[in-house]
Amino acid sequence: MKKQFAVIGLGRFGTSVCKELFRMNHDVLAIDRDEDRIKDLKDFSTHTIVADATDEKMLTNTGIRNFDNVIVAIGEDIQASILCTLILKDFEIKQVWVKAQNEYHHKVLDKIGADKIFHPEQDMGLRIAEFLTSEKVIDYIDLSDEYSIVETLATKKVEGRSLADLDIRAKYGCTIMAIKQKNKVDVTPHPEDTLNKGDLLVVIGHKNDLRRFQNEAL
Ligand code: ATP
């Protein structure tokens, strides 16, 4: 379903969010105070507006009050990011998602009602560390400090063995959510399903349990 998004601040993060939403066929309003940044986004957004997002009047004139989803991707200027978020929450915009620069910034954003707070650099750092430390990890989603979802490769060690036989939940406290085998994805794995080398397992669990599962079982 087509949705409407506004992206404020077109640094690397804001630009890639904007381009991706537009590629997914959503309506995207791109806002930045720098005209050059706006020019680069003309072909990758529905509307572009040059505006200072800390100026309430200017923001009102962009028509942003009509949007349910706004992403604030102003990075270094923490003061501007906070002020802009405050104005957007005053406008009663339903979902204001904000990029945070550090933990202090995060705390303030949380207090003033940001609906979701991102730490793209930190998240990417965690993902890369996870890839570097395990050659079996294909992809990784951080759910919290403790829990994550990993996409991991089944090795020769589990070839021909069933999920019941491996008893993963009891032994490791992890749950296999899906199994990707060649051209098919099984999102309701059954205990009798058997694994082959090269299958992709999508597994959810505590990070320590996931690590143990990958090191011992696979
Ligand atoms: P990235 O890491 O994603 O490249 P960054 O953390 O370096 O971003 P900045 O470059 O500081 O972030 O800011 C991102 C964009 O936000 C810039 O294009 C900047 O012009 C814009 N910006 C900063 N303050 C405002 C503001 N008050 N109103 C509108 N745009 C702003």
Side-chain angles (χ1 to χ4, degrees), residues 7-25:
V7 180
I8 301 177
L10 304 169
R12 282 159 303 177
F13 177 68
T15 296
S16 67
V17 171
C18 188
K19 285 184 173 174
E20 190 56 19
L21 289 170
F22 187 64
R23 193 191 63 76
M24 291 162 82
N25 241 341

Side-chain angles (χ1 to χ4, degrees), residues 8-15 31-34 37 51-55 73-77 80-81 84 99 101 121:
I8 301 177
L10 304 169
R12 282 159 303 177
F13 177 68
T15 296
I31 299 174
D32 200 291
R33 66 180 172 192
D34 181 339
R37 297 259 167 127
D52 181 346
T54 59
D55 183 327
I74 297 173
E76 301 211 330
D77 190 346
S81 156
C84 171
K99 173 182 150 165
Q101 225 31 29
E121 287 92 359

Side-chain angles (χ1 to χ4, degrees), residues 158-200:
V158 291
E159 176 86 41
R161 295 186 65 186
S162 70
L163 295 182
D165 175 30
L166 289 165
D167 208 9
I168 294 158
R169 200 173 297 162
K171 282 192 189 147
Y172 302 100
C174 308
T175 303
I176 297 198
M177 300 163 68
I179 302 172
K180 291 195 205 171
Q181 289 174 320
K182 286 193 183 130
N183 301 324
K184 106 175 182 247
V185 181
D186 181 1
V187 288
T188 49
H190 296 288
E192 65 275 14
D193 291 346
T194 54
L195 299 178
N196 298 304
K197 181 180 168 208
D199 287 352
L200 283 179

